[in-house]
Amino acid sequence: MEIILKQDISNLGFENEVVTVKPGYARNYLIPKRMAILATESNKKILAENMRQASHKLEKERKEAEATATELKKIGVKLPVKVGTTGKLFGSITNLQISRALAEKGHEIDRRNIKFIDEIDKIGEYKVLVKISKDVEVEIPINVVREEDVKKEEK
């Protein structure tokens, strides 16, 4: 069954996108929660007209997302963590920690838009994938350091 999404839904699609889903998922969940509408011919024509009118705005948003992406590539995120004597982390690094570190640097990124490329289990340099908009993704460097080392630098 084809539907038109009215909002971004992870692992399914983005707002104003026509996607195919199973009929039960559409009828029982997406449409009643007003997350989607049926993709009838008239709804598709309305969507096409709205997209044509909004194309200028979308282009501007894409350029802003690319500018943010270049800024994020330049800055590095330093995450102080508790570490054992062998260099292995106590606990794990989460996308929420990375999101908060980016917010401290002035970039509000939703934690659901941060994906790990490598498993972070030791001290060192890693990269994470940050999805800024529908078609703009960027890899940013993450530096995992000992919490004690950061406290020594601050003194």
Side-chain angles (χ1 to χ4, degrees):
M1 171 181 272
E2 280 193 336
I3 57 170
I4 299 171
L5 297 176
K6 296 185 93 179
Q7 65 187 41
D8 294 350
I9 301 173
S10 62
N11 298 328
L12 185 58
F14 296 97
E15 183 178 2
N16 295 327
E17 192 173 24
V18 178
V19 295
T20 303
V21 296
K22 293 190 176 185
Y25 183 49
R27 276 194 314 268
N28 298 325
Y29 183 73
L30 295 174
I31 294 172
K33 291 199 178 273
R34 303 201 189 287
M35 299 169 109
I37 57 174
L38 286 174
T40 61
E41 288 303 315
S42 62
N43 284 343
K44 286 181 182 179
K45 286 179 184 176
I46 292 169
L47 174 66
E49 180 62 25
N50 289 343
M51 294 300 288
R52 188 184 63 76
Q53 291 176 0
S55 65
H56 179 68
K57 181 182 172 187
L58 292 174
E59 183 63 28
K60 181 181 173 187
E61 288 176 358
R62 189 182 62 73
K63 286 183 181 178
E64 288 174 1
E66 287 176 353
T68 303
T70 56
E71 286 180 37
L72 285 176
K73 278 184 184 177
K74 292 177 185 174
I75 67 168
V77 176
K78 186 184 253 187
L79 290 174
V81 294
K82 292 185 179 182
V83 181
T85 56
T86 61
K88 194 157 175 77
L89 302 181
F90 290 141
S92 61
I93 301 293
T94 64
N95 51 6
L96 182 60
Q97 289 174 309
I98 295 170
S99 176
R100 287 181 179 161
L102 289 171
E104 289 175 7
K105 298 202 181 234
H107 298 284
E108 293 292 329
I109 304 292
D110 187 15
R111 66 180 179 86
R112 293 175 291 226
N113 294 333
I114 299 172
K115 305 284 184 228
F116 293 101
I117 297 172
D118 299 321
E119 182 181 348
I120 301 176
D121 57 353
K122 294 182 182 176
I123 292 177
E125 293 276 334
Y126 298 92
K127 293 204 179 276
V128 294
L129 189 66
V130 177
K131 187 174 219 167
I132 298 170
S133 72
K134 180 178 179 177
D135 55 349
V136 179
E137 293 181 340
V138 63
E139 284 186 10
I140 61 169
I142 302 293
N143 189 9
V144 180
V145 295
R146 289 180 194 268
E147 199 173 65
E148 298 83 31
D149 294 344
V150 173
K151 288 180 182 175
K152 287 179 186 175
E153 289 176 8
E154 290 175 357
K155 291 181 181 179

